[in-house]
Amino acid sequence: MTTILVTGGAGFIGSNFIRYFAQQRPEFNIINLDLLTYAGNPENLIDLEGSPHYTLIQGDIADQALVYSLFKRYPITRVVHFAAESHVDRSIMAPDAFVRTNVQGTFVLLESARQLWLEEKSKLEEEPRFLHISTDEVYGSLKSQEPAFTESSPYAPNSPYAASKASADLLARAYYKTYGLPVMITNCSNNYGPYQFPEKLIPLVIAQALDHKPIPIYGKGDNIRDWLYVEDHCRALLRVLEDGRPGETYNIGAQNERSNLEVVHQILQILQDQQADGYPLTDLITFVKDRPGHDWRYALDTTKLNRELGWRPEVSFTTGLERTINWYLGQRDWISRIKSGLYRDYLARQYGSAI
Ligand code: NAD
Ligand code: TYD
């Protein structure tokens, strides 16, 4: 049976992708290689546990012997590489893990794929494909009136997170150019949706509001992000995995630019309308010290993906937010289990007494 290796599949986007992929391509075996860091939660895919087509392997993508052995053991012809340290604030606090996982880990995956795919090509059941998942943050920051980033915009990462992802992208590119490894790269805007770890803005706001706790806003709250519903991202990834051109990069974005304060107010409005207790949720908004090197604005031009692969986002921001909030409302236990662990210490280190 054809096998896909997904890395970081116990995290936010990876778990949404695996669920979507299992529905769309039931003929595949799925191997999920995930270290299960604080951000990885096997509970996210509990519905697939016990399926003969799904295997979770707890391990590090930077462990060369392990990764190589997986390529040897399973007939892997597809790789979708999500595994990463993914939170900008943590990269500012402790950048080491970002270099190790995002740069070294990506290198190990590319190198194992090169050794097994290119040197033992005759044994493969089909042409292999490697999809490397990246972010719009590699392009740096835009001013208010500047045009959106295209795939040929120069790289100008500003945080250790963005720099580590940019480094990984450059390695992926080099493996195509030098060795002909069939790599596609996608650079996506901010995702939101079910299963996102509550350190990121949207789930953080929802979780804090549900507990009537302060909602920390960096600076004046006027930084701008382009928000994409995670299911739209997963649909785009499957299109690129199957029909994207090797060696190419594709931007994935929603053309849905909002200031942080706009996003926060919209979430609080939806929650306020649903709550019977009348608690004034906007009073929870608390302005805190700005993030160092805080990128002002991200926006992506997605003409290439639309023209070549016919993809466009389908879920409006209002619908996506309502679905996300409803999901979190149904998952209070999921949030409390996360909050009872090491995450509590992180919140204290990041925000001090502000929240
Ligand atoms: P996440 O933090 O929710 O999940 C990351 C997963 O990777 C976790 O399951 C974690 O356990 C695993 N992991 C971490 N280090 C590992 C290692 N050394 N070996 C194996 N597994 C390891 O991240 P996410 O938000 O789902 O992001 C997934 C990918 O998408 C990342 O590459 C990220 O850079 C990219 N991306 C994210 C967004 C976003 O808005 N979340 C936007 C664009 C791109
Ligand atoms: P985040 O979800 O961390 O994603 P990214 O930094 O990768 O875009 O943050 C989204 C925006 O929200 C960003 O401009 C920073 C801001 N933000 C806050 O104002 N307060 C917070 O507590 C967090 C986590 C983010």
Side-chain angles (χ1 to χ4, degrees):
M1 224 177 160
T2 339
T3 301
I4 182 170
L5 172 67
V6 178
T7 70
F12 163 47
I13 306 174
S15 61
N16 277 282
F17 178 78
I18 287 182
R19 185 171 293 102
Y20 174 71
F21 187 84
Q23 283 157 5
Q24 300 295 316
R25 300 290 179 263
E27 68 278 17
F28 271 80
N29 270 329
I30 303 171
I31 311 283
N32 176 9
L33 173 61
D34 196 300
L35 188 56
L36 301 182
T37 66
Y38 78 93
N41 187 348
E43 250 189 81
N44 294 357
L45 284 169
I46 204 133
D47 41 324
L48 289 184
E49 260 176 32
S51 157
H53 298 318
Y54 171 71
T55 310
L56 170 65
I57 295 172
Q58 182 173 8
D60 189 344
I61 55 163
D63 179 343
Q64 187 129 31
L66 170 69
V67 173
Y68 189 82
S69 74
L70 292 180
F71 274 90
K72 269 279 193 211
R73 185 161 145 213
Y74 296 101
I76 295 166
T77 51
R78 299 275 181 275
V79 173
V80 183
H81 171 35
F82 294 97
E85 288 292 336
S86 69
H87 191 38
V88 172
D89 293 326
R90 287 186 192 254
S91 83
I92 295 168
M93 210 182 262
D96 321 36
F98 288 72
V99 175
R100 181 179 154 73
T101 289
N102 301 2
V103 187
Q104 178 72 13
T106 301
F107 163 71
V108 165
L109 283 163
L110 290 166
E111 182 55 17
S112 300
R114 177 179 82 83
Q115 288 181 24
L116 272 297
W117 282 355
L118 302 185
E119 289 167 15
E120 300 187 18
K121 206 164 184 168
S122 57
K123 294 189 194 154
L124 295 176
E125 285 174 30
E126 59 177 348
E127 283 295 316
R129 297 171 76 83
F130 188 120
L131 176 56
H132 170 68
I133 312 297
S134 190
T135 166
D136 55 2
E137 304 194 24
V138 299
Y139 298 121
S141 179
L142 287 169
K143 298 197 179 83
S144 299
Q145 301 308 324
E146 277 182 304
F149 294 120
T150 69
E151 288 80 359
S152 48
S153 296
Y155 272 28
N158 292 318
S159 69
Y161 163 66
S164 67
K165 292 296 292 186
S167 310
D169 295 8
L170 297 183
L171 278 171
R173 175 193 152 93
Y175 267 69
Y176 171 75
K177 291 275 182 193
T178 305
Y179 305 112
L181 193 76
V183 181
M184 286 84 56
I185 300 173
T186 53
N187 294 92
C188 190
S189 61
N190 286 59
N191 281 221
Y192 67 101
Y195 300 100
Q196 187 166 29
F197 195 84
E199 66 191 351
K200 305 277 168 49
L201 181 71
I202 288 182
L204 178 72
V205 172
I206 299 170
Q208 293 295 103
L210 290 178
D211 285 349
H212 295 174
K213 293 231 172 97
I215 293 167
I217 303 295
Y218 298 153
K220 296 192 186 122
D222 45 8
N223 300 64
I224 292 165
R225 298 291 182 264
D226 169 27
W227 294 97
L228 178 69
Y229 191 60
V230 66
E231 273 175 33
D232 276 332
H233 187 192
C234 293
R235 280 193 308 104
L237 294 178
L238 188 57
R239 293 293 296 120
V240 177
L241 177 67
E242 295 187 337
D243 293 313
R245 287 181 292 137
E248 293 295 319
T249 288
Y250 296 89
N251 284 346
I252 308 175
Q255 273 98 50
N256 175 41
E257 290 182 51
R258 316 254 160 176
S259 75
N260 294 338
L261 262 189
E262 244 180 286
V263 171
V264 172
H265 278 291
Q266 195 166 342
I267 295 169
L268 297 183
Q269 186 62 55
I270 296 171
L271 284 172
Q272 195 79 63
D273 291 345
Q274 294 190 357
Q275 271 188 339
D277 66 7
Y279 188 94
L281 293 175
T282 50
D283 287 1
L284 298 172
I285 294 174
T286 306
F287 291 94
V288 299
K289 193 166 162 295
D290 207 354
R291 171 188 281 174
H294 195 173
D295 284 337
W296 169 250
R297 170 178 165 242
Y298 303 138
L300 287 175
D301 182 328
T302 57
T303 311
K304 181 175 173 183
L305 183 59
N306 178 247
R307 201 182 48 227
E308 283 191 21
L309 299 174
W311 176 89
R312 64 179 76 243
E314 289 176 3
V315 180
S316 73
F317 191 55
T318 304
T319 304
L321 265 191
E322 281 168 359
R323 283 192 201 163
T324 305
I325 289 170
N326 286 335
W327 185 84
Y328 281 95
L329 283 172
Q331 301 291 326
R332 302 289 292 261
D333 291 350
W334 185 88
I335 303 177
S336 359
R337 276 197 294 281
I338 285 171
K339 281 193 147 180
S340 64
L342 284 176
Y343 180 52
R344 231 186 5 214
D345 305 335
Y346 164 79
L347 287 177
R349 278 183 71 190
Q350 175 63 19
Y351 301 103
S353 57
I355 67 170

